[in-house]
């Protein structure tokens, strides 16, 4: 079974990713990515495979995994057959080792946590009081503002730095022998989007950047990024809009057009869909803070 490389969309105004995975079952296939990852299960049961380790997950299960470690969460048949009384639900955190700058992980204060990152190459299943404390922090993060969310992550790092309440998952042999296919295609596509998101980008245009036809590109993008190209582009544009709105020297119409939206109505609709408020209301929350 070949692992698929994943690339999750990230707002340009955030340094790391926190998202909720919810549905009849967890859809992700056997995959890996460059990010470190926490997976905390709120609801659902099933088997999780981390490297060459297979274990059972249930409510409150918490696993921390290193960069490039293949993994998959497979729900029990009750969920896969849509017979469960509730939806599968998990909270996930993704971050890279340079998410706060290239030198962040080299500062003295991170010495103990760097050792944890090394252990995470094999995957760590947390247990006991450590799991309870970290789960409480993770559950609060979706509703927090940027600085609060970052503070919660730092507290998680601190707890991880001193705990012995964990089990290592994948074998050392698996970690040493696993090879992945890294392609410049991902960097070319995301780089092009970041440089041109304020312009119209056609599917034919972006597909050519990846040296693919339109149909192949659409399938490839959805498989790798877990969202469509249009959804990803919209996320990037709205993230940039949040940055511009915080600067208070542009009106909403100017922000919309500077982010690549051709009309204000569509900008307002997409902004509210992603942020659960209008651009004007978002700006008011910044003033209040």
């Amino acid at each position: 079974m070949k692992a698929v490389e994943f690339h999750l969309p990230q707002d340009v105004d955030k340094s790391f990713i926190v998202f909720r995975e919810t549905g009849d079952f967890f859809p992700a296939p056997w995959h890996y990515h460059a990010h470190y990852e926490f997976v905390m299960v709120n609801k659902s049961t099933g088997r999780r495979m981390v490297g060459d380790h297979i274990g059972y997950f249930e409510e409150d299960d918490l696993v921390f995994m290193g960069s490039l470690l293949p993994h998959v969460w497979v729900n029990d048949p009750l969920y896969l057959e849509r017979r469960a009384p509730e939806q599968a639900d998990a909270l996930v955190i993704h971050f890279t080792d340079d998410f706060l700058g290239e030198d962040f992980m080299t500062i003295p204060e991170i010495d103990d946590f760097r050792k944890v990152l090394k252990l995470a190459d094999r995957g760590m299943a947390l247990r006991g009081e450590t799991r309870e404390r970290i789960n409480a922090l993770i559950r609060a993060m979706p509703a927090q503002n940027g600085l609060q969310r970052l503070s919660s992550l730092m507290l998680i790092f601190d707890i991880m730095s001193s705990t012995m309440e964990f089990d290592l998952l994948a074998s050392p042999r698996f970690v040493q022998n696993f090879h992945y296919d890294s392609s410049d295609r991902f960097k070319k596509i995301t780089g092009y989007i970041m440089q041109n998101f304020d312009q119209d980008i056609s599917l034919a245009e972006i597909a050519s950047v990846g040296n693919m036809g339109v149909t192949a590109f659409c399938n490839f993008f959805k498989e790798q990024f877990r969202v469509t190209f249009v959804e990803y582009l919209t996320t990037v544009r709205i993230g940039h809009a949040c940055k511009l709105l915080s600067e208070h020297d542009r009106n909403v119409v100017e922000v919309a057009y500077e982010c690549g939206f051709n009309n204000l109505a569509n900008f307002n609709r997409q902004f509210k869909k992603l942020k659960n408020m209008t651009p004007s209301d978002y700006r008011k929350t910044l003033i209040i803070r």
Side-chain angles (χ1 to χ4, degrees), residues 181-194:
D181 298 320
S182 181
S183 172
D184 288 338
R185 178 177 288 167
F186 304 111
K187 292 181 180 179
K188 288 179 180 178
I189 291 172
T190 55
Y192 189 87
I193 292 171
M194 291 303 175

Side-chain angles (χ1 to χ4, degrees), residues 62 126 130-138 156 159-160:
L62 176 63
L126 284 302
T130 296
R131 185 175 69 179
E132 293 178 8
R133 293 172 64 193
I134 294 177
N135 281 356
L137 289 167
I138 293 176
I156 292 172
I159 294 170
M160 293 287 294

